[in-house]
Amino acid sequence: MAKKKEVHKPEMPQITQTPWGHELLIASNDLYVVKQLFIKAGKRLSLQVHEERFEHITLVSGGAQMYMETTQGLTNFLMSPMTPVEVAPGTMHRISALDEEDAVLVEVSTNHPDDIIRIDDDYGRADNLDAEQEGNYGIDDIDGNND
């Protein structure tokens, strides 16, 4: 009788505390990662870009605003519940929870865990970009607010 191979499964789920709330790792393998993002009311993630990571982000509950590059330039829009937003590699983006309520989102992405360039961050985690890098991302207004 053939001996069964042991399969190593990481402990799931894993919670990572963040300055804006927390991430709950639901599933991960060599190809993809599934996370639940909990963003506290009035908080926002870094303005960021990924060189390889492809993301689908879906608002599950609460209210959230997406700030991202589109074919029309940088834009803000309210996320619609259960409607995925596709973020392709090289797309600058940021998610904010509305001031009135927490936001819960699900992010499904390709597995590139260290592929994040923080362009602007409310919590002091932004990468130091030189002028050429800033020009590559077309950074003019990095605030991401509707003011």
Side-chain angles (χ1 to χ4, degrees), residues 75-91:
T75 187
N76 283 314
F77 58 90
L78 289 176
M79 295 182 74
S80 299
M82 304 312 293
T83 304
V85 175
E86 187 175 283
V87 181
T91 303

Side-chain angles (χ1 to χ4, degrees), residues 100-118:
E100 306 81 36
E101 58 187 331
D102 298 335
V104 177
L105 303 101
V106 171
E107 176 187 282
V108 179
S109 68
T110 54
N111 193 349
H112 300 285
D114 298 322
D115 179 17
I116 183 168
I117 299 168
R118 289 187 174 97

Side-chain angles (χ1 to χ4, degrees), residues 24 38 44 52 64 81 83 120 138 146:
L24 174 68
F38 174 83
R44 62 187 185 171
E52 298 180 75
T83 304
D120 184 56
N146 270 340

Side-chain angles (χ1 to χ4, degrees), residues 42 44 65-67 74-77 94 96 99 120 122 141-147:
R44 62 187 185 171
Q65 180 174 317
M66 175 68 83
Y67 173 74
L74 294 171
T75 187
N76 283 314
F77 58 90
R94 164 182 265 161
S96 304
D99 289 336
D120 184 56
D122 296 342
D141 171 25
I142 61 171
D143 190 43
N145 286 321
N146 270 340
D147 332 34

Side-chain angles (χ1 to χ4, degrees), residues 35-141:
K35 296 179 189 174
Q36 180 187 65
L37 307 178
F38 174 83
I39 307 173
K40 297 175 191 172
K43 301 290 184 181
R44 62 187 185 171
L45 281 64
S46 303
L47 178 62
Q48 57 192 263
V49 66
H50 312 289
E51 293 178 343
E52 298 180 75
R53 185 187 311 168
F54 193 96
E55 299 175 325
H56 278 85
I57 304 169
T58 304
L59 177 66
V60 176
S61 66
Q65 180 174 317
M66 175 68 83
Y67 173 74
M68 70 183 293
E69 287 179 299
T70 67
T71 55
Q72 290 79 37
L74 294 171
T75 187
N76 283 314
F77 58 90
L78 289 176
M79 295 182 74
S80 299
M82 304 312 293
T83 304
V85 175
E86 187 175 283
V87 181
T91 303
M92 192 168 27
H93 62 287
R94 164 182 265 161
I95 303 170
S96 304
L98 301 181
D99 289 336
E100 306 81 36
E101 58 187 331
D102 298 335
V104 177
L105 303 101
V106 171
E107 176 187 282
V108 179
S109 68
T110 54
N111 193 349
H112 300 285
D114 298 322
D115 179 17
I116 183 168
I117 299 168
R118 289 187 174 97
I119 298 164
D120 184 56
D121 183 73
D122 296 342
Y123 316 104
R125 303 173 302 164
D127 294 308
N128 293 321
L129 303 179
D130 61 31
E132 182 180 343
Q133 288 172 307
E134 288 181 0
N136 289 343
Y137 296 116
I139 300 170
D140 292 321
D141 171 25

Side-chain angles (χ1 to χ4, degrees), residues 13-17 21-25:
Q14 294 175 359
I15 296 175
T16 302
Q17 297 298 324
H22 67 265
E23 296 179 346
L24 174 68
L25 178 63

